[in-house]
Structures are given as C-alpha cells and as structure tokens.
C-alpha cells in the first residue's frame, strides 16, 4: 500500500510541478512585481504539503520558529537531503532567496522564475560563490530577507557525511548577519533518488543564532553539530564520512 501511495504522490508531484512552473509561474515572472509569482509559489507549496499528508501520510512539524529573526536579513544554514527542505523553508519565509547551481538557470522557464525570486546562480566548478559574496551581502542587508544555504553544497543521502562548505563563515563575516542552523529528518521520509516515501512526521528544527566573531574552526564545528549531527539524531542514524 505504501508503494502505491508513493507512486501516486510522485506522479502528482513530478507531472504537475513542471506544468505549474511552465503555465503559471513563468508567465507571472514577467510581471514587474514578484508578488503575484510568489503568491502562486505559495499556493503550489500548500497544495504539495496537503497532498503529501493525504496521500503519503507525511506531516511536517517545525520547531524553534521563535529563533527566526524578524525584520532583518539572516542566513538559514540547512541540512539538504530531499526536495522538501526548500519547500518547508519557503512556506515559513515567503521572501526567501537562495543560492542555486547554474545548471538550473539553463532550464527554460525555470530561469525566469529563479531570477524573479532573486536566486543567485553559482557555478560550483568555478567557485563563483565567493566572488558573489559582496552582491549577496548587499541584497540581504538592503531587502532584509533570509538566504537559504545548504552547507553541504548538494543533497546528501541519509547516513553519509561530506566536508562542509566554508562559504557560510565568510558570508557571515561580510554581512554581519545572524546565522540560523536548521536540522531535519527529511531524508528518512523522502529519500534522495528513491521513488518511495515513508509515512511519518518530518521535523525541521531552527536553532538559536550562532555567536558572532567565532574563529573559523569553532564556527564550522557549531554548524556541524547543529546541521549534521543533530539531523542524525532526529533520524536515529550515525553518519560516516565519504
């Protein structure tokens, strides 16, 4: 029965998501204001989470919402294992922006949507993230919006650990903005590369902001503890370096 439910939800998501981008979001991305497009994104996400609950039996619980700053920009440093982290974060913070691999900007329609959202293209092979740091810092400070950043750089399968990217440390130094770490167990319920979804409760936990002026090694260890190790606690696994 779970296989059937997974098939139905994945069919719904992977068929309708491209159509929603092409037929709804792309036309709205040509409006001068991003507000109509962002509202349409929010409607789609509400539909996704409703169907995730009703079809796959997966609910979402957010903890530590009080730790998210208001009326100022900040950096949300998150674990990345599935398609859901960005959806959960955006539903909570509709003015969210992010860094995204440049390949996504080559997809017709998607490029216009990402540009309208202020998403910054990053060529990971050329290390452009550091070059764009001043631009990103100015945007976060001026517009007072959060930036979603996946500190591992890509989706990581459950039980694996990868070397963390240090860009978040330098971004905090350049922006002097709070860094909020988020841990989650999304990978248990929506696995990378798996067609099957596991019923249960997805937890997204937002931790208190990291201290300012920490030395680089201490800063990255705090990130590792909150983003990686606490996510493993939520999943009941112990990861291994790969």
């Amino acid at each position: 029965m779970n296989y059937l439910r997974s098939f139905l939800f994945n069919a719904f998501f992977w068929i309708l998501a491209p159509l929603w981008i092409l037929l709804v979001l792309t036309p709205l991305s040509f409006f001068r204001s991003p507000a109509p497009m962002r509202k349409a994104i929010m409607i789609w996400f509400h539909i996704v989470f409703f169907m995730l609950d009703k079809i796959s039996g997966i609910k979402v619980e957010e903890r530590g919402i009080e730790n998210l700053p208001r009326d100022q920009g900040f950096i949300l440093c998150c674990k990345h294992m599935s398609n859901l982290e960005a959806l959960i974060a955006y539903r909570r913070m509709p003015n969210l922006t992010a860094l995204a691999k440049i390949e996504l900007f080559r997809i017709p329609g998607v490029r216009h949507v990402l540009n309208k959202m202020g998403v910054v293209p990053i060529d990971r092979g050329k290390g452009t993230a550091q070059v764009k740091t001043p631009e990103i810092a100015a945007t976060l400070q001026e517009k007072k919006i959060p930036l979603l950043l996946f500190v591992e750089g890509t989706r990581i399968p459950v039980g694996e650990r990868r070397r963390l990217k240090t860009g978040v440390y330098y971004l905090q130094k350049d922006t002097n903005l709070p860094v909020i770490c988020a841990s989650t167990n999304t990978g248990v319920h929506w696995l990378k590369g798996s067609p099957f979804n596991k019923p249960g409760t997805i937890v997204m936990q937002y931790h208190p902001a990291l201290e300012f002026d920490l030395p680089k090694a201490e800063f990255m260890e705090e990130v590792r503890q909150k983003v990686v190790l606490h996510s493993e606690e939520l999943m009941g696994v112990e990861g291994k370096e790969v």
Side-chain angles (χ1 to χ4, degrees):
M1 180 59 70
N2 185 43
Y3 291 160
L4 176 60
R5 295 169 72 180
S6 296
F7 172 80
L8 291 174
F9 176 80
N10 286 314
F12 151 78
F13 183 84
W14 292 112
I15 293 173
L16 292 187
L19 291 176
W20 191 268
I21 293 172
L22 181 64
L23 301 179
V24 180
L25 300 186
T26 300
L28 291 177
S29 70
F30 289 97
F31 283 38
R32 173 169 294 184
S33 170
M37 189 193 72
R38 285 188 175 273
K39 288 181 180 178
I41 293 173
M42 186 64 74
I43 290 171
W44 169 245
F45 285 178
H46 281 311
I47 293 172
V48 169
F49 284 110
F50 177 82
M51 299 300 284
L52 193 66
D53 179 9
K54 299 306 178 184
I55 298 178
S56 294
I58 297 175
K59 300 182 182 297
V60 176
E61 176 187 342
E62 293 178 89
R63 302 174 183 172
I65 297 171
E66 67 278 4
N67 293 319
L68 297 174
R70 297 185 178 184
D71 300 322
Q72 75 168 108
F74 65 94
I75 302 161
L76 181 64
C77 188
C78 189
K79 179 75 174 170
H80 190 25
M81 293 176 287
S82 78
N83 298 302
L84 285 175
E85 298 94 6
L87 274 66
I88 295 170
Y90 188 94
R91 187 177 65 164
R92 174 59 53 188
M93 296 157 276
N95 61 342
L96 183 76
T97 189
L99 307 181
K101 57 186 179 181
I102 198 168
E103 289 81 1
L104 291 176
F105 287 78
R106 297 174 182 146
I107 302 174
V110 174
R111 176 176 64 253
H112 295 287
V113 173
L114 295 178
N115 284 332
K116 200 67 175 183
M117 291 176 65
V119 174
V120 179
I122 298 297
D123 189 337
R124 292 180 294 189
K126 296 183 179 179
T128 57
Q130 188 171 352
V131 175
K132 289 179 174 287
T133 295
E135 172 191 339
I136 298 167
T139 299
L140 298 183
Q141 292 168 327
E142 177 185 350
K143 297 184 178 180
K144 298 181 179 181
I145 58 176
L147 170 75
L148 176 62
L149 191 151
F150 295 122
V151 71
E152 293 160 311
T154 187
R155 285 187 296 174
I156 305 296
V158 174
E160 289 188 10
R161 295 178 186 172
R162 305 280 179 89
R163 183 178 179 181
L164 302 183
K165 307 295 184 181
T166 58
V168 61
Y169 169 76
Y170 295 105
L171 191 57
Q172 188 208 41
K173 286 188 64 177
D174 288 344
T175 61
N176 203 35
L177 291 175
V179 172
I180 306 296
C181 291
S183 49
T184 184
N185 63 345
T186 52
V188 169
H189 300 282
W190 192 342
L191 298 173
K192 176 183 178 181
S194 172
F196 303 117
N197 304 325
K198 180 180 178 182
T201 300
I202 286 175
V203 175
M204 178 76 92
Q205 181 161 352
Y206 308 106
H207 299 274
L210 299 181
E211 294 181 27
F212 285 100
D213 299 324
L214 286 175
K216 180 180 176 181
E218 291 184 28
F219 179 93
M220 294 308 301
E221 178 59 24
E222 284 292 314
V223 171
R224 190 178 78 92
Q225 290 286 336
K226 292 180 171 61
V227 173
V228 178
L229 300 187
H230 195 269
S231 291
E232 291 177 0
E233 289 181 16
L234 291 174
M235 294 184 288
V237 301
E238 183 176 353
K240 295 182 179 180
E241 301 288 344
V242 297

